[in-house]
Amino acid sequence: MKNVKKIMLIYPPGKMYQRGEDRSQGNIFLSAATTMRACNDLGYAASNLKKDGHDVFLRDYQTEGLTRDELIADFRSYHPHYLFTSTTDATIFDDLQILSQLNQIYPKCKIILKGALFFDLDQQILNSLPLSGIDYLIGGESDFIIARLIKADQCKEKLSSVPGIIYKENKQWHKTEFKWWEENLDSLDFPDREQMNNRLYIRPDTGEPIATISASRGCSYNCIFCLTPRISGTRIRFRSISNIIDEINSCYHRHGIKNFFFKADTFTLDKNWVGQLCAELIKTGLSDKIQWAANSRTNPLDFETLDLMHSAGCWLVAYGFESGSPETLTRIEKQISIADNLRAAQMTTEAGMEIYGFFVIGFPWEDYRHLADTENHIYQLNSDFIEIHIANPYYGTKLYQIAQQENVLEGNVLGGDYFSPTIKGTKYLSLKALKNFRKRLLLHYYLRPEYIMSRIYRNKKNVNKINNYIKYGIKLIKNTL
Ligand code: SF4
């Protein structure tokens, strides 16, 4: 085929971040109990570019723990026409340094950088970034954009017709349409797991490979700290049940993967859709062969749905409980209550599943009373695993505007994450106080004798799991002391 291009798809070397997750961009090396999710954004790019006849090279340098020299050696030997990589708010400056070095080696290789921060990015911030070696920025859902972009670049089509990108013309950056979302999620080929190193992405408690299945996109809520409505839209788009089942079967039969995480911003929101998916998992017998986890809001939610999820192989539900302060729950516009959280936790436990609870502290209006409410709520909920984030005002969120108004932003809005946000603190508490509170609470929560005994008792026949808990316990102590 004419116009076959060599395309290198990478996560660059450096600290581990969930580069494929526009919403959370989680810091994995400092996280209490989370592991890297699969690089589905690279995998989707690989399968869809190969469909167009291109040759691809895919490697996740950060998760493999490889060095910049190893990346450079691969770059020299593969000599690509295009390089596509994902960045995060936290890693952007390090990533740009690496890309600048690659650009100097082969200036003709076009560099495409994807990240949530580029979604309709303000011209002033754009101009402040050292982007001289970068050809294209993708801020929309790259899975649906990358192949279109490369086609347009090759055929000299109008780049302005490719949605969700920022491109250079006459040395000026130009933005295209950002409020565009692909409706037909089944139109994507599955992530190319032949190219992905599936063994890198593991379930923390068992160490077994886990695949991420993108089940739906978008969220109809508008929590002030969350990037999802901005990047994936406020209308939820679902994949068909048969398309999801086909992908699970492919993972199971071709790659021997038996663990799954359903990536969906609000997995349980449509009770009928969840019911159909669970019914199909049971009908096909997959529920006896696989285990899976999903995230959920604490409302709307009912026991019937949770019970069915458990019957279909779900072992863990991750909830954004967010806060124990009724005032904060109202002001973050999550539309959940303390009672919703307690009810969700109780129903999940009764249905036989474990709970991963996520909390956020450090909103601009918070003082020690709000933090104390959250601490009490954390113990009330008694989740199996918890993580505590510090509110990071991502550019484009309502929280960013509030942080600006309240004068709590620290320097550049970029460079931060949920453990080291780009804030001075709240109006009443320093960032140092927030970090200390988080560390103290995590240590106390996980090192309670009754917590340790309950984990050991629950897994008394599974030495592997107990060993992994010890491993994560040591990591937690190292990271927090
Ligand atoms: S419910 Fe809120 S936090 Fe969850 S995905 Fe939707 S907007 Fe984001």
Side-chain angles (χ1 to χ4, degrees), residues 224 331 333 364-365 393 397-409:
I224 65 165
R331 291 180 77 165
E333 299 176 26
W365 56 84
T397 59
K398 194 168 168 189
L399 179 60
Y400 173 75
Q401 292 167 9
I402 297 171
Q404 255 185 335
Q405 283 156 15
E406 300 292 357
N407 194 26
V408 295
L409 277 184

Side-chain angles (χ1 to χ4, degrees), residues 14-236:
K15 289 177 178 164
M16 268 199 275
Y17 279 86
Q18 303 282 28
R19 289 169 181 267
E21 308 269 328
D22 290 332
R23 175 173 69 158
S24 66
Q25 308 177 27
N27 172 335
I28 298 304
F29 69 99
L30 286 183
S31 157
T34 310
T35 46
M36 265 306 291
R37 295 210 184 115
C39 55
N40 277 17
D41 49 351
L42 303 186
Y44 273 124
S47 54
N48 288 283
L49 290 166
K50 277 163 79 176
K51 195 161 74 175
D52 286 347
H54 299 299
D55 185 73
V56 303
F57 173 104
L58 184 158
R59 194 153 203 189
D60 176 353
Y61 290 85
Q62 65 157 34
T63 312
E64 281 195 55
L66 298 173
T67 62
R68 190 184 291 206
D69 286 346
E70 284 164 308
L71 164 62
I72 289 171
D74 285 343
F75 185 72
R76 283 186 191 282
S77 93
Y78 187 61
H79 200 157
H81 298 98
Y82 292 91
L83 181 130
F84 169 74
T85 185
S86 295
T87 190
T88 66
D89 279 43
T91 58
I92 178 70
F93 297 110
D94 290 344
D95 295 341
L96 285 174
Q97 255 190 20
I98 294 174
L99 295 175
S100 159
Q101 206 174 344
L102 297 180
N103 176 248
Q104 281 165 24
I105 296 169
Y106 293 133
K108 284 195 174 158
C109 170
K110 293 199 174 173
I111 296 183
I112 304 166
L113 186 56
K114 164 238 160 186
L117 68 154
F118 302 126
F119 189 95
D120 205 7
L121 186 61
D122 174 82
Q123 199 72 32
Q124 205 183 341
I125 302 179
L126 197 54
N127 292 339
S128 73
L129 290 169
L131 295 170
S132 58
I134 309 297
D135 294 278
Y136 297 109
L137 303 168
I138 300 181
E141 291 177 328
S142 67
D143 307 338
F144 300 99
I145 295 171
I146 180 72
R148 281 180 72 173
L149 170 58
I150 287 182
K151 203 176 277 174
D153 182 71
Q154 278 185 279
C155 308
K156 306 286 174 236
E157 272 175 28
K158 273 194 177 274
L159 287 161
S160 56
S161 67
V162 180
I165 65 163
I166 306 179
Y167 65 98
K168 259 189 271 184
E169 206 170 70
N170 301 325
K171 298 190 178 163
Q172 291 290 319
W173 287 106
H174 296 271
K175 292 192 255 184
T176 62
E177 172 62 52
F178 275 86
K179 290 204 169 358
W180 171 87
W181 292 283
E182 173 61 55
E183 287 297 320
N184 180 9
L185 301 190
D186 291 359
S187 64
L188 275 183
D189 282 9
F190 305 148
D192 188 344
R193 294 189 172 87
E194 302 292 335
Q195 299 272 340
M196 293 157 67
N197 183 352
N198 302 306
R199 309 233 145 248
L200 289 177
Y201 313 105
I202 53 165
R203 188 173 140 170
D205 59 338
T206 64
E208 296 167 320
I210 180 166
T212 298
I213 304 282
S214 175
S216 68
R217 298 177 190 234
C219 178
S220 51
Y221 290 84
N222 247 315
C223 308
I224 65 165
F225 56 89
C226 181
L227 282 166
T228 290
R230 176 174 164 83
I231 293 173
S232 296
T234 51
R235 216 177 67 70
I236 307 178

